[in-house]
């Protein structure tokens, strides 16, 4: 036995000699490689060879991670995303100069030896024995490829990456056995192709194609001699020879490669000298990865596509499996994003709300009957800087949205009406609709225990002039709060929760809708996508379709993956939907949404504004497009949209019909320009008697609405708010988190997120 170090381990030369013995014996036993002089080495490594034999012979090469391309519905690029920026190319698409350069500097005898290079090993052993260092320089290009396979398999697991790269005898032995297999199965040219595709070239570039694009902005097939030599030189130490950060070191290394190519006669000395005289001439393309690079303001849509993939079992049983597929990349994802619609949304947002405004807006458009998400944009761009965000205001929390969504105000009243009509209530139904009233009690729930107004909570209309009796047609147009509270008290809460379930109306935080009458006024936080898609059901004459963003996916081999399709189901009868459409046409024609009506086609919709004007909505639709626009506080701090400048325009009061409505109008007008203009199927809803002029409230108010009487402008069709307080307000005080004190809680102990309030227009 050789002399051991004081620490008990073999010296570097002894380790190398032991490795050589194992390699020779293993080569003889497993690969039939005849190596003269094996016996003369005198290395009886029986135990090590037996351990070698126990290593599995089948090297499972993981698919190489590549970039994924996300496209719009017309094939235009949205974004490129990747875990590792790599584009796998065949050897025919790699410059011959590059092939010769990498072989010359990494393994010049590559085409002469088998899985191991005995001459190289002997040379390394001799050199390291003289220098007293550890064995190095003996790995063949095949062995390096095998090592990179293990690194690739380790992915982002730092422990596994370290294990794959550790300088140990055990790793060398494992590399050797797999290298023998690879040499037998693949052959030299395929090994070289795989090596050039898997190797890291620095600057986040994996594989020769990405490296060529990164440093020279050209494909690998067009690399010149000097460019190829530089890239081949980088491989040994991507940080040390990084041409971007140290051109001098990179040039020295390039010239070493060029001289090596001349020494082995791959090129002439004259060619080498001419190439050495050239400057690097980099043309760097900076790394661009992820949804932050998305064009057309589609960063949030891009992120929603990614979250959709990670959330859907169509792409793997577990989220971990789906994440592996996504991170492996190489996918081409064609989405539902309509470029015309997206452009129109972006333009409308830009014209109405500025990035640095105190409030934000989000707009989502969907296609009725298919569930296809056509556009998604917001005023706070996707990013990490000032006035940027990674929160997608258009979607639910689990898909990258805000924690609670945004209270919808009176836009929720359409669901109340649909539930009542579906149960057989006539659209001519009249209620007393006083200016202010107690919440009716008890109100039937889906369970055995009814909701009871134990706190004597009251609900007002916007102004004292709003006094019934009203029929549904006028109550919807004017958005009369007390009318809809009387309606829900008659039909009960269960029909409403059943209807919203069929319409996919689930709070953005994933919670269940509380069974309390206040939900009729839009107290729960929803996402614009949820609202747009629910209203699309009315446009689709009662058939609800789940939203989809992905049209097709192909993998790196061009194989199509199965993608989830929209699932459609009837949520209400055609008659009910037609009735709602007729009612909401009235909102746009002569009600609170007049500023939102389209000029060249029929449109319907509903406005909504919440207490303290923290949120304002317009949800509208045509027979072939539905969209929701929200304006409000995107951050934790709630901003009251009174006496405020938004998009360079001053507003004394923001309401659903006054800012979200025009945003929606411009976005949808552009999105549908040049496209079909089908009409609605409507029903005849007779007018009901209007209250006589000067009618007084049926009961004396218990206090000033919201503490600010007469908050609406009081002009016909101006989209004025319809409710001055939360359901938790009595007198002039406000319950919950709206800034008042001492109010009662009509929600039966249910805690609402900050800013949740009653429904106004």
């Amino acid at each position: 036995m050789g002399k051991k170090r004081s620490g008990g381990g073999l010296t570097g030369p002894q380790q190398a000699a032991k490795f050589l013995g194992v390699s020779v014996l293993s080569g003889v036993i497993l690969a039939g490689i005849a190596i003269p002089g094996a016996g003369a080495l005198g290395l009886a490594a029986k135990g090590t060879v037996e351990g070698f034999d126990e290593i599995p012979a089948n090297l499972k090469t993981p698919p190489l991670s590549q970039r994924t391309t996300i496209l719009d519905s017309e094939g235009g690029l949205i974004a490129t995303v990747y875990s590792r920026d790599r584009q796998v190319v065949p050897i025919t698409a790699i410059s011959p100069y590059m092939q010769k350069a990498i072989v010359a500097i990494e393994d010049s005898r590559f085409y002469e030896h088998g899985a191991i290079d005995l001459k190289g090993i002997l040379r390394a052993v001799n050199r390291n024995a003289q220098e007293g260092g550890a064995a190095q320089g003996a790995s063949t290009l095949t062995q390096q490829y095998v090592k990179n396979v293990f690194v690739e398999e380790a992915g982002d697991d730092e422990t596994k990456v370290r294990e794959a790269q550790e300088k140990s005898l055990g790793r060398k032995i494992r590399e050797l056995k797999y290298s023998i297999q690879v040499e037998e199965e693949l052959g030299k040219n395929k090994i070289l192709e795989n090596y050039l595709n898997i190797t890291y070239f620095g600057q986040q570039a994996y594989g020769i194609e990405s490296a060529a694009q990164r440093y020279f902005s050209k494909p690998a097939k067009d690399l010149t001699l000097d460019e190829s030599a530089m890239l081949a030189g980088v491989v040994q130490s991507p940080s040390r020879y990084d041409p971007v950060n140290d051109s001098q070191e990179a040039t020295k290394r390039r010239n070493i490669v060029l001289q090596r190519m001349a020494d082995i006669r791959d090129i002439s000395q004259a060619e080498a000298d001419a190439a050495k005289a050239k400057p690097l001439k980099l043309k760097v393309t900076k790394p661009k990865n992820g949804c932050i690079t998305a064009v057309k303001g589609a960063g949030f849509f891009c992120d929603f596509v990614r979250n959709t993939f990670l959330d859907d079992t169509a792409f793997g049983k577990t989220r971990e499996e789906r994440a592996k597929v996504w991170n492996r990349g190489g996918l081409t994802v064609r989405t539902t994003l309509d470029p015309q619609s997206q452009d129109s949304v972006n333009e409308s947002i830009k014209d109405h709300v500025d990035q640095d405004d105190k409030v934000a807006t989000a707009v989502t458009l969907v296609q009725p009957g298919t569930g296809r998400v056509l556009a998604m944009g917001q005023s706070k761009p996707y990013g990490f800087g000032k006035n940027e965000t990674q929160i997608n205001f258009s979607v639910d929390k689990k898909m990258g949205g805000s924690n609670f969504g945004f209270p919808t105000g009176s836009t929720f009243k359409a669901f109340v009406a649909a539930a009542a009509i579906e149960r057989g209530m006539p659209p001519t139904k009249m209620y007393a609709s006083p200016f202010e009233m107690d919440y009716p009690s008890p109100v039937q729930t889906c369970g055995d225990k009814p909701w009871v107004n134990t706190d004597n909570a009251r609900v007002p209309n916007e102004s004292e002039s709003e006094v019934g009796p009203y029929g549904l047609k006028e109550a919807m147009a004017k958005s009369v709060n007390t009318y809809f509270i009387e309606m829900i008290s008659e039909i009960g809460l269960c029909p409403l929760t059943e209807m919203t379930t069929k319409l996919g109306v689930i709070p953005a935080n994933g919670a269940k809708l509380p069974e309390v009458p206040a939900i009729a006024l839009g107290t729960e936080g929803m996402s614009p996508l949820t609202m747009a898609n629910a209203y699309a059901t009315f446009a689709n004459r009662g058939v609800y379709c789940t939203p989809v963003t992905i049209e097709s996916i192909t993998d790196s081999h061009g194989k199509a993956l199965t993608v989830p399709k929209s699932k459609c189901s009837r949520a209400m009868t055609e008659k009910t939907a037609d009735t709602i459409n007729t009612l909401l046409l009235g909102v746009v024609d002569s009600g609170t949404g007049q500023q939102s009506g389209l000029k060249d086609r029929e449109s319907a919709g509903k406005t909504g504004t919440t207490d303290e004007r923290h949120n304002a909505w317009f949800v509208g639709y045509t027979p072939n497009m539905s969209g929701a626009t929200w304006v409000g506080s995107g951050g934790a701090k709630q901003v009251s949209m009174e006496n405020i400048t938004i998009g360079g325009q001053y507003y004394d009061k923001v309401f659903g019909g006054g800012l979200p409505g025009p945003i929606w109008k411009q976005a949808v007008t552009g999105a549908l320009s040049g496209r079909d203009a089908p009409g609605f199927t409507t029903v005849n809803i007779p007018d009901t008697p209007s209250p006589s002029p000067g009618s007084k409230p049926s009961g004396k108010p218990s206090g000033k609405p919201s503490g600010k009487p007469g908050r609406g402008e009081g002009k016909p069709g101006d989209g004025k708010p319809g409710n001055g307080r939360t359901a938790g307000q009595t007198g002039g005080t406000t319950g919950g988190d709206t800034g008042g004190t001492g109010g009662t809680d009509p929600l039966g102990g249910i805690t609402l997120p900050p800013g949740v309030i009653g429904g106004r227009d």
Side-chain angles (χ1 to χ4, degrees), residues 442-452 454 493-494 515-517 748-749:
V443 178
Q444 187 60 49
T445 64
C446 293
D448 296 332
K449 187 177 180 180
W451 179 85
V452 178
T454 56
L493 292 162
C494 202
E515 290 191 69
V516 294

Side-chain angles (χ1 to χ4, degrees), residues 7-30:
L10 295 174
T11 64
Q14 289 170 333
Q15 287 183 344
K18 185 176 181 181
F19 167 61
L20 174 60
V22 172
S23 299
V24 171
L25 289 174
S26 301
V28 171
I29 295 169
L30 297 175

Side-chain angles (χ1 to χ4, degrees), residues 88-103:
V88 176
V89 294
I91 200 166
T92 54
I94 301 173
S95 166
Y97 286 127
M98 187 66 224
Q99 298 177 44
K100 291 178 180 179
I102 199 71
V103 170

Side-chain angles (χ1 to χ4, degrees), residues 5 11-13 123-136:
R5 294 180 180 178
T11 64
R123 184 171 58 249
V125 169
N126 181 58
R127 185 180 65 207
N128 290 301
Q130 293 175 350
E131 297 177 0
Q136 56 182 328

Side-chain angles (χ1 to χ4, degrees), residues 437-439 451 453 455-459 727-730 744-746:
M437 60 181 285
D438 288 337
Y439 272 88
W451 179 85
N453 186 5
D455 296 314
N456 299 316
R458 295 175 66 79
V459 57
Q729 287 179 253
T730 56
T744 57
D745 179 12

